[in-house]
Amino acid sequence: MDKILIRGGKPLHGSVQVRGAKNAALPLMAAAILAEGPCTLHNVPCLHDIFSMDKLLTSMGMSVEFTGRYMTLDASSMNSYTASYDLVRKMRASFFVLGPLLAKFKKARVSLPGGCAIGTRPVDIHLKGLEALGAKICIEEGYVVADGELTGADFAMDFPSVGATENVMMAACRAKGVTRLSNVAREPEIADLARFLNAMGARISGAGTDLITIVGVDSLSGAEHVVVADRIEAGTFLIATMAAGGDVTVLNANADHLPTCIAKLREAGGEIEVHGARIRVRAPERPKAVDLTTQPYPGFATDLQAQIMAMLTVADGVSVIRETVFENRFMQVAELVRMGAQIDLDGNSAIVRGVPALSGAPVMASDLRASAALIIAGLAAKKGETAIARVYHIDRGYERIEERLASLGADIERVND
Ligand code: UD1
C-alpha cells in the first residue's frame, strides 16, 4: 500500500491548477442517464470516485468512455435499473442514480449506501422528495425499490441536503407538470448540474438559490458541458499555503465559490488577491487564530473544516471550530494530536490551542478531507518526517496531490510500502 512521506517546514511558492470538481462531476455523470443521446463532459477529474461512478453506470449498461479529462456517456444501451450493493457501498454519491433511474425507467432499485466514516448520513430527504413527486418507495433486502409515474409537486426539504436536492431535481426534470423545491441546498455544484440539465432541454430555474422551480419535459437530449472548478481543492491549496508559509497562485479557480473560506483566511492574516480565475495567497509569518462554524453553502464548507483545523493548530491563539453539518467529522483530531497539536473536543466543537510548531509523525488517513488535513499538518511541521498511511482516501478526491505540492516546493513523495 502507498504512503505519503513529507518533510515539512518548506514554504510553498508558485502556481497550481485546480481540476474540475468531483462533487459536480459525480451528479453530472448520473444525470446522463436521463439523456436520449450521448453526453460529453469536459474537465472531469481523474479520481477513484469518478472511476467508481463509471463502474456503476457501466454495470447498468451505459456506455462510458473516459480519456484524459474528457468523458462521453451514452445511456441508450442501458438495460438495468438496479444499482448493486457492491458498487453503491463504496461511494455514497452512487445514490444519485436513484432519481434519474426512476425518471427514465419509472422503476429503480438502488442499494442503500449505509453508514460511513463521517456519520450515519441517512437518505430520508431524498426519499421524501421522490415520494412527493408520486414515487412509491419501499426498502427490500437493503435496497430502495421505487416505482411510479412522476408528477410535479411542491416539496420543502427538512435540511438543505446537497445530494437530495440533486436527486430530486434530476427526477423532476421528467415529471409531469411543475415542481417547486424549497429550502434546497445552494452549493455551486447544484447550479452546475442545472446548467447541464438545461443544456439537455430541461427547464430549471433558481438553482443556486433556496427555491428551485422545474417545469417537467417529455424528453432530454444529449449535451456537452464543462465541469465547474473544484472549490474544495482550491481552498485546500490556499489553506496549505497559509499553514506552510509562502506565496501561491491557484489557477482556474472561482473565488466567488469560496466566500467564507477566503474571509477566514484573510482574518487569519493571509493576503489574498483575486484576478479573474486566479487566487493568490501570501501567507503571514504565522496565521492568527480564528473561530468558525461549518454550514451549508455559502457558509464555511464542512469539506474544508479538517484542512483549516490543521492550519489553526499552528496559529497564534485559540480557535473554536463548530461542525454543524456532519456528526463525527473530527477524525483528524487524534492524528493531529500525535503531531503535537493541542485540541480538545466538546461535542460538535473543537478548541484548538495553536502551538509554535508541529513535528512529523507516522499517521493514518481516515477519510478524504481528514487526509488532506494530515498533508497540511505534515507540510507545516517544522521537524521530523510525516508518513501518512491509507492514502487511498486522498486519491478519492485529489488528483496526484503529492506531485502538485512538490511542484510548489514541498518535500513530499509517494512510496510503495
Ligand atoms: C455532499 C458532498 C460532500 C459534502 C456534503 C455537505 C457530494 C458528492 N458530496 O454530500 O462532500 O461534505 O455535501 O456539504 O456532493 N442528511 C439527512 N438526510 C438526507 C440527506 C442528508 O439527514 O436524506 C444529512 C446528512 O446526514 C448530513 C447533512 O444532512 O448530516 C448533509 O448531507 P448532504 O448535504 O446530503 O451531503 P451529501 O450530499 O451526502
Side-chain angles (χ1 to χ4, degrees):
M1 280 225 272
D2 288 359
K3 272 190 178 167
I4 287 182
L5 301 182
I6 307 169
R7 287 160 291 270
K10 297 201 167 47
L12 305 179
H13 287 280
S15 60
V16 62
Q17 282 272 352
V18 166
R19 308 294 188 212
K22 163 182 89 73
N23 285 355
L26 292 169
L28 291 168
M29 289 170 73
I33 294 175
L34 291 165
E36 262 139 52
C39 293
T40 305
L41 297 176
H42 300 268
N43 200 29
V44 180
C46 207
L47 299 170
H48 280 212
D49 276 9
I50 300 292
F51 303 145
S52 301
M53 184 61 97
D54 180 339
K55 223 169 165 180
L56 175 67
L57 295 173
T58 308
S59 77
M60 295 187 287
M62 192 190 263
S63 136
V64 183
E65 277 177 41
F66 186 25
T67 32
R69 321 208 157 278
Y70 173 85
M71 181 179 278
T72 54
L73 307 106
D74 190 346
S76 54
S77 51
M78 277 186 81
N79 51 15
S80 164
Y81 51 78
T82 297
S84 75
Y85 173 66
D86 265 0
L87 296 169
V88 175
R89 76 186 163 85
K90 295 199 177 114
M91 185 181 64
R92 180 180 160 86
S94 310
F95 203 69
F96 292 154
V97 299
L98 178 62
L101 285 176
L102 184 57
K104 182 182 174 82
F105 293 105
K106 307 196 183 349
K107 278 184 183 168
R109 204 169 157 265
V110 177
S111 171
L112 277 166
C116 76
I118 58 173
T120 50
R121 297 179 88 174
V123 290
D124 55 318
I125 307 170
H126 299 240
L127 302 187
K128 280 186 211 164
L130 295 173
E131 278 173 340
L133 297 181
K136 306 241 172 328
I137 293 182
C138 59
I139 310 291
E140 281 173 12
E141 297 166 347
Y143 280 73
V144 173
V145 181
D147 72 290
E149 286 273 350
L150 301 180
T151 312
D154 288 357
F155 176 68
M157 299 204 172
D158 297 339
F159 177 87
S161 153
V162 175
T165 303
E166 293 171 335
N167 228 336
V168 182
M169 181 170 83
M170 287 190 276
C173 288
R174 290 281 306 272
K176 279 202 170 47
V178 180
T179 298
R180 279 180 215 87
L181 304 175
S182 53
N183 195 29
V184 293
R186 292 182 280 167
E187 270 68 1
E189 293 75 24
I190 289 163
D192 199 48
L193 175 61
R195 274 193 291 275
F196 180 48
L197 291 164
N198 283 342
M200 288 161 65
R203 292 176 60 197
I204 303 172
S205 54
T209 73
D210 61 2
L211 175 69
I212 299 180
T213 304
I214 305 138
V215 181
V217 296
D218 290 337
S219 70
L220 294 166
S221 58
E224 199 158 342
H225 182 79
V226 182
V227 180
V228 69
D230 194 327
R231 64 195 164 97
I232 304 301
E233 191 178 78
T236 301
F237 284 122
L238 297 176
I239 295 169
T241 309
M242 288 285 293
D247 179 348
V248 166
T249 302
V250 179
L251 309 173
N252 192 29
N254 189 335
D256 291 344
H257 294 167
L258 283 163
T260 331
C261 175
I262 289 178
K264 283 294 160 190
L265 295 183
R266 284 188 171 134
E267 199 183 320
E271 277 180 52
I272 299 187
E273 289 165 27
V274 178
H275 298 287
R278 295 162 170 252
I279 311 175
R280 178 178 180 187
V281 58
R282 272 173 287 183
E285 198 59 40
R286 185 179 179 193
K288 289 189 279 230
V290 292
D291 295 339
L292 62 100
T293 301
T294 65
Q295 270 162 350
Y297 187 83
F300 194 92
T302 175
D303 283 353
L304 286 170
Q305 178 263 110
Q307 297 90 316
I308 201 160
M309 180 188 283
M311 176 195 101
L312 293 173
T313 63
V314 291
D316 187 7
V318 179
S319 308
V320 179
I321 299 179
R322 264 191 350 120
E323 171 60 59
T324 70
V325 179
F326 287 112
E327 50 185 298
N328 224 353
R329 209 173 195 183
F330 285 137
M331 299 210 305
Q332 69 279 10
V333 169
E335 303 298 296
L336 292 173
V337 167
R338 302 191 62 248
M339 298 176 69
Q342 288 187 11
I343 306 168
D344 290 312
L345 291 181
D346 179 11
N348 69 348
S349 296
I351 296 107
V352 185
R353 291 184 175 77
V355 295
L358 298 177
S359 54
V363 288
M364 193 96 83
S366 53
D367 76 29
L368 169 56
R369 306 304 170 187
S371 1
L374 297 180
I375 290 187
I376 292 172
L379 296 173
K382 291 260 170 12
K383 54 182 184 205
E385 181 178 82
T386 300
I388 306 177
R390 298 197 181 158
V391 296
Y392 51 84
H393 286 294
I394 198 135
D395 294 333
R396 289 188 48 203
Y398 295 89
E399 209 183 289
R400 297 203 305 271
I401 192 157
E402 70 285 1
E403 289 176 21
R404 295 153 77 200
L405 288 167
S407 78
L408 296 174
D411 185 348
I412 179 170
E413 62 180 327
R414 181 183 291 248
V415 293
N416 197 281
D417 241 2

